[in-house]
Amino acid sequence: MTVLFAFPFILFFVLWAVDPDIGPSPLSPWTYSTVLKERTGKILRITLSRDEKYRIYTGIDRHSPELLKAILLQEDRHFYLHPGVNPGSLIRAVHATYVKRDRRIGGSTITMQTVRLLYRMNTSTVPGKLAQILRALWLEVTTSKRTILETYLNIVPCGGNIEGFPAAALICFGKNVGDLTLEEALLLAVVPQNPVDRSLDKFNESRQLAKARQRLFTTWEDRYGADESTHANIALPVDINYHLPFESPHFTDYLLSEYPDSRDITSTLDLDLQHSLETLVQRYVGRKSAEGVRNASAMLIDYTTMEILAMIGSADYFNNEIQGQVNGTTALRSPGSTLKPFIYALAMEQGLIHPMTTLIDAPTSFSEYTPDNYQSDFHGPIRAKNALITSRNVPAVYLASRIQNPDLYDFILSAGINLPFDRDHYGLSIVLGGAELSMMDIGVMYGTLANEGYCYPLKVLIDEPETQDDSHIRILGAASSYLTLGMLQENPRPSYSSIPYAKDIENPVAYKTGTSIGFKDCWSVGIFDRYILLVWLGNFDGYGNPAFNGRYLASPLLFEIADYLRSQADTGRVHKEIPKELQLTDVCAASGHIPNKYCEETVSTWFIPGVSPIEKCSVCRHITIDTRTGYQTLRRSGPGIRKEVVEFWPTNLLKLFKKAGLPRRTPPMFDPLEKPIGLAGNPPEIVSPRERIEYVKRFETGEYNDLALIANADPDVGELYWFINDSFIGRADPKTPVWWNLVPGRHVISVVDDYGRSVSRDISVVMRQ
């Protein structure tokens, strides 16, 4: 007993005398490959370890029992009986190799092979073999048999740069090491004895490998027996599908960067959908190459789980001319107008508009920011939903200037998206793409619309927790999300896209386009069935192209993909309940306001009681006209008196209607002999000077120190009267400005129409050189 107790210590000192560097056994000194899989287990990619080997660490319990038996039968039948060295095997090896000299055979046990691999030992010499024996004995003393065998299974050479049976099984047979058949297990078991000549990639040409497997099968049959079907299968060639998949490279690159320490990653990717989107994107880019289109990105998300199902980072990963290895789904780009839906959603949530509210699309300045429209056209008065669908810039910027707590900047932050600069850096340009976002960021934001205002992060791992848990946050109301989606569903599909699929009629794609300044990026983002689909076209080098227009270039690709998906299978339309806080109500067809008793035509729209604006219509008014003079009159009856309902639009809107080709009839002026004072109607609206602006008077004299006083008024107003600090300075019709020479100081500017209705504004003037 004393001798047995002292044996490990005696062995340690002997081994230390041979090798002073002896210490704990480095059972896992190597790095290992990462295996990336799609959602059903198909292999996407197997990475090289840091020393450029394919080596996949797998626990012994996950190995095929047949493989374990075959390896012990082939390499070390007495593994569980010897102390690390098999004296009988060593004596036979020495006798055959050095005495008889007929053939060179090995006598190494699995433990001896393991220490040779672990310590990278040269065992072809007598001192090397002696050191191997001593280390094997020490390993057996300090480590369990199970750990030794598990280490061997994972690091043994299997031909080429493949090490370990798990890597060999996956690369050569496309299956996990625990799923090997007996025929496959026998084939793998004989490779390590001569991994160069028996390499599996040479199986079809290697008679030696086939003979070695046959010899092992004979031994197996003697030990364990074999039925007729096994005999028949052994006689057949093994189907070796020797390949290393490299699927969805941008997606797998992203996974490796996000999870660098993971060795087995099962992702949310659907490989069939990935292949379909890759084909559609590549074909579309090829068809549009004559227009200068060379690159595109796309991403498909299941918004019910927020899982990424497909990710195409570029049109061709291996094309260096388009910087194909750049991942367009993670790159920061200008989103163009794709963020406008959130402006309208916030405006509806804050009670500024409902879908039928009339907005103004006309040249307008917001402090120092003056937005323009694509092709510099303006539509004049326009419904909110139409302003969103047609992507009008001025109405969007106007709403952005009014929403607060949150504004768009706050909303982006609340979605978990980091912006590198503060709010003032972006200003109102953030509405039109002034803040760079990635496609993944935009996907998260559109997920809030699809998920009733709840914000969930994107999922890329299949074993991540479901999104519908306590960790989500609501950053939009269900009502405003529903209304915004409904507005986007009315966005007509491009007339030059593919023929509408039947589902698009009953459940239209809710989509929005975007084009960045300089035509560097064009986008289309759609929500349909259970999907969010995002499409981008552009150049990674930032080179602009007038063809890069979201509606004309990106949307056809979006609909090609959406139509294909809907045609292949049931894409699982998600039924959305109408939020209980929504109410269908009638509004004036002319003004979009709550109808008064004179509104002759109404339309229905969704309304959020207690939130949506409840302003009564002041456009439709009842007047009486003296048909003998054509003037408006206060008389309600008598000869020649006719009653009519007339639309009273402010002068600026009348001008815009006319410019848009929709002229409106203006009410007649009042009879000069009975012009009333205090008549009900809208007071003038001061356009210039603007609010919250400090005006500067220069020391130089001249026209640059004159300020134009401009106001809008009801259409029956003949003249406007201007006052500075109660001092009259001039009068003019509403279409003509009155000029005032700036005077330093604080002033109250007032304007009164000829019915006595007035409005005032405070301004400040300073003197500077």
Side-chain angles (χ1 to χ4, degrees):
M1 181 66 70
T2 303
V3 174
L4 290 175
F5 179 77
F7 175 73
F9 299 98
I10 296 170
L11 179 61
F12 176 80
F13 284 111
V14 172
L15 188 55
W16 179 81
V18 176
D19 185 359
D21 294 330
I22 184 64
S25 302
L27 292 182
S28 298
W30 289 283
T31 57
Y32 290 87
S33 302
T34 297
V35 180
L36 301 104
K37 307 170 186 174
E38 60 101 65
R39 63 191 306 113
T40 64
K42 297 175 185 175
I43 304 299
L44 297 175
R45 183 172 172 184
I46 305 173
T47 67
L48 287 167
S49 63
R50 291 179 186 171
D51 55 346
E52 298 189 350
K53 305 289 185 182
Y54 289 107
R55 190 187 298 121
I56 301 168
Y57 199 93
T58 304
I60 192 171
D61 292 336
R62 295 167 59 192
H63 283 68
S64 161
E66 287 79 8
L67 177 64
L68 296 178
K69 291 179 182 179
I71 290 168
L72 294 176
L73 204 59
Q74 173 73 10
E75 297 290 342
D76 194 348
R77 301 180 190 181
H78 306 292
F79 174 72
Y80 287 105
L81 301 176
H82 61 66
V85 177
N86 188 335
S89 296
L90 285 176
I91 292 172
R92 284 195 302 272
V94 170
H95 183 266
T97 303
Y98 298 106
V99 179
K100 294 179 66 176
R101 297 180 183 274
D102 56 350
R103 64 191 181 101
R104 187 180 184 90
I105 66 173
S108 296
T109 63
I110 284 178
T111 307
M112 293 174 65
Q113 294 181 55
T114 301
V115 297
R116 176 177 59 82
L117 294 170
L118 287 172
Y119 291 97
R120 296 179 172 85
M121 303 176 70
N122 179 9
T123 60
S124 61
T125 63
V126 174
K129 180 61 71 173
L130 178 59
Q132 181 186 22
I133 292 172
L134 292 175
R135 284 189 180 274
L137 293 171
W138 175 252
L139 187 62
E140 289 275 353
V141 170
T142 58
T143 310
S144 68
K145 287 282 189 181
R146 176 188 176 90
T147 302
I148 293 171
L149 180 57
E150 183 174 289
T151 302
Y152 173 81
L153 294 171
N154 283 284
I155 66 174
V156 64
C158 290
N161 63 343
I162 301 174
E163 293 188 354
F165 294 111
L170 207 55
I171 293 172
C172 299
F173 301 116
K175 58 176 65 175
N176 293 321
V177 70
D179 300 327
L180 294 173
T181 64
L182 175 60
E183 295 77 21
E184 294 164 344
L186 293 174
L187 188 66
L188 286 182
V190 301
V191 173
Q193 200 170 79
N194 190 348
V196 175
D197 293 336
R198 297 180 183 177
S199 178
L200 291 172
D201 61 343
K202 304 175 183 177
F203 176 67
N204 293 329
E205 298 85 23
S206 175
R207 298 180 62 185
Q208 183 184 133
L209 181 57
K211 288 182 178 179
R213 186 183 70 151
Q214 184 60 48
R215 286 195 299 269
L216 179 58
F217 173 67
T218 301
T219 305
W220 175 283
E221 187 178 19
D222 293 340
R223 173 70 65 88
Y224 301 110
D227 55 24
E228 294 183 2
S229 63
T230 304
H231 274 278
N233 290 335
I234 287 292
L236 296 173
V238 177
D239 182 17
I240 297 179
N241 185 20
Y242 191 93
H243 77 291
L244 289 165
F246 196 72
E247 301 281 2
S248 186
H250 292 101
F251 184 66
T252 53
D253 283 349
Y254 174 77
L255 291 177
L256 291 170
S257 67
E258 290 293 307
Y259 306 97
D261 299 325
S262 297
R263 294 291 167 258
D264 189 353
I265 299 175
T266 301
S267 71
T268 60
L269 194 86
D270 185 311
L271 193 56
D272 292 335
L273 290 176
Q274 175 74 18
H275 287 162
S276 297
L277 263 68
E278 286 175 350
T279 300
L280 291 168
V281 168
Q282 290 169 2
R283 288 177 179 174
Y284 187 81
V285 170
R287 293 202 312 270
K288 296 294 183 178
S289 60
E291 300 177 40
V293 177
R294 304 172 62 206
N295 209 349
S297 299
M299 186 161 62
L300 184 66
I301 302 167
D302 181 343
Y303 69 75
T304 64
T305 60
M306 292 305 286
E307 294 176 343
I308 295 179
L309 302 178
M311 175 190 285
I312 293 93
S314 71
D316 184 354
Y317 184 85
F318 300 101
N319 187 343
N320 291 328
E321 293 183 359
I322 63 170
Q323 299 174 290
Q325 294 187 24
V326 174
N327 189 344
T329 67
T330 60
L332 296 177
R333 312 290 302 183
S334 168
S337 295
T338 58
L339 302 188
K340 284 179 181 174
F342 306 101
I343 293 291
Y344 285 81
L346 291 171
M348 286 187 287
E349 189 156 282
Q350 296 177 21
L352 300 178
I353 61 170
H354 54 69
M356 295 298 291
T357 296
T358 299
L359 299 174
I360 307 302
D361 180 31
T364 308
S365 293
F366 300 88
S367 296
E368 297 179 357
Y369 184 56
T370 305
D372 199 355
N373 285 319
Y374 177 65
Q375 296 181 338
S376 299
D377 63 333
F378 295 92
H379 287 185
I382 187 172
R383 298 281 184 248
K385 69 174 183 179
N386 294 331
L388 174 58
I389 289 171
T390 57
S391 199
R392 312 312 297 172
N393 287 341
V394 173
V397 175
Y398 166 73
L399 292 176
S401 71
R402 297 190 62 195
I403 58 175
Q404 56 185 336
N405 301 322
D407 58 9
L408 183 58
Y409 181 89
D410 296 326
F411 181 80
I412 293 173
L413 296 183
S414 68
I417 299 168
N418 294 320
L419 294 175
F421 303 106
D422 59 22
R423 186 192 321 274
D424 293 338
H425 173 84
Y426 301 106
L428 291 174
S429 69
I430 194 172
V431 180
L432 307 181
E436 293 185 332
L437 301 176
S438 70
M439 182 179 285
M440 297 182 76
D441 293 334
I442 299 172
V444 169
M445 295 182 68
Y446 272 77
T448 64
L449 293 179
N451 287 303
E452 300 178 347
Y454 286 102
C455 182
Y456 304 102
L458 294 176
K459 288 177 59 178
V460 293
L461 301 183
I462 201 67
D463 56 355
E464 283 182 324
E466 292 293 328
T467 56
Q468 279 71 19
D469 57 22
D470 294 334
S471 64
H472 60 262
I473 58 172
R474 171 164 256 167
I475 59 177
L476 267 182
S480 56
S481 301
Y482 183 89
L483 292 177
T484 305
L485 273 181
M487 293 161 71
L488 293 177
Q489 282 185 320
E490 295 190 40
N491 194 0
R493 61 187 288 140
S495 57
Y496 30 79
S497 67
S498 52
I499 298 174
Y501 185 61
K503 281 189 177 181
D504 199 35
I505 298 174
E506 63 186 52
N507 184 29
V509 176
Y511 80 103
K512 183 70 186 73
T513 62
T515 305
S516 67
I517 295 175
F519 302 100
K520 298 177 182 179
D521 312 88
C522 64
W523 299 82
S524 190
V525 184
I527 300 174
F528 61 97
D529 300 342
R530 62 190 300 117
Y531 298 132
I532 300 172
L533 176 61
L534 303 97
V535 167
W536 170 89
L537 292 98
N539 294 312
F540 291 144
D541 60 7
Y543 183 77
N545 182 344
F548 293 165
N549 176 282
R551 176 167 290 275
Y552 300 115
L553 189 64
S555 290
L557 175 57
L558 178 117
F559 277 92
E560 281 190 22
I561 296 174
D563 292 343
Y564 173 82
L565 293 175
R566 287 176 154 185
S567 68
Q568 293 302 303
D570 182 6
T571 49
R573 177 182 178 184
V574 178
H575 178 70
K576 293 188 177 297
E577 297 288 343
I578 300 173
K580 60 182 180 181
E581 59 266 39
L582 277 181
Q583 177 180 317
L584 200 61
T585 190
D586 290 334
V587 295
C588 174
S591 67
H593 293 155
I594 300 299
N596 62 39
K597 62 181 180 180
Y598 301 119
C599 296
E600 298 177 329
E601 185 178 353
T602 61
V603 293
S604 295
T605 187
W606 288 109
F607 199 79
I608 310 176
V611 176
S612 296
I614 57 173
E615 181 181 353
K616 277 272 190 179
C617 175
S618 61
V619 170
C620 300
R621 302 182 198 172
H622 182 267
I623 65 172
T624 53
I625 300 173
D626 188 335
T627 57
R628 296 168 299 180
T629 62
Y631 284 122
Q632 190 179 164
T633 178
L634 292 175
R635 288 178 290 140
R636 294 294 179 258
S637 61
I641 301 300
R642 183 178 71 245
K643 297 179 180 179
E644 291 186 9
V645 174
V646 180
E647 295 178 7
F648 278 67
W649 294 100
T651 51
N652 64 321
L653 294 189
L654 287 173
K655 182 178 179 181
L656 291 174
F657 275 127
K658 184 176 180 181
K659 188 174 182 180
L662 302 169
R664 291 293 192 269
R665 176 193 172 193
T666 59
M669 304 294 289
F670 261 96
D671 189 333
L673 299 178
E674 58 171 311
K675 198 160 195 176
I677 298 297
L679 186 70
N682 295 319
E685 178 187 3
I686 296 176
V687 177
S688 174
R690 300 204 300 267
E691 290 185 292
R692 297 186 295 274
I693 295 293
E694 185 178 68
Y695 288 86
V696 177
K697 179 180 176 66
R698 301 295 180 184
F699 283 120
E700 302 87 354
T701 59
E703 59 181 320
Y704 298 108
N705 283 327
D706 288 340
L707 175 65
L709 305 180
I710 306 172
N712 297 320
D714 270 357
D716 58 349
V717 172
E719 287 187 309
L720 296 175
Y721 302 84
W722 291 92
F723 298 83
I724 304 292
N725 300 326
D726 296 330
S727 297
F728 177 73
I729 61 168
R731 68 181 184 179
D733 65 79
K735 299 179 182 179
T736 305
V738 170
W739 294 92
W740 172 57
N741 189 263
L742 293 172
V743 176
R746 300 189 64 83
H747 306 280
V748 177
I749 296 182
S750 303
V751 60
V752 182
D753 66 18
D754 45 15
Y755 296 108
R757 298 170 299 207
S758 65
V759 67
S760 300
R761 177 168 294 174
D762 295 335
I763 70 165
S764 176
V765 180
V766 297
M767 178 72 78
R768 289 180 189 168
Q769 290 186 345

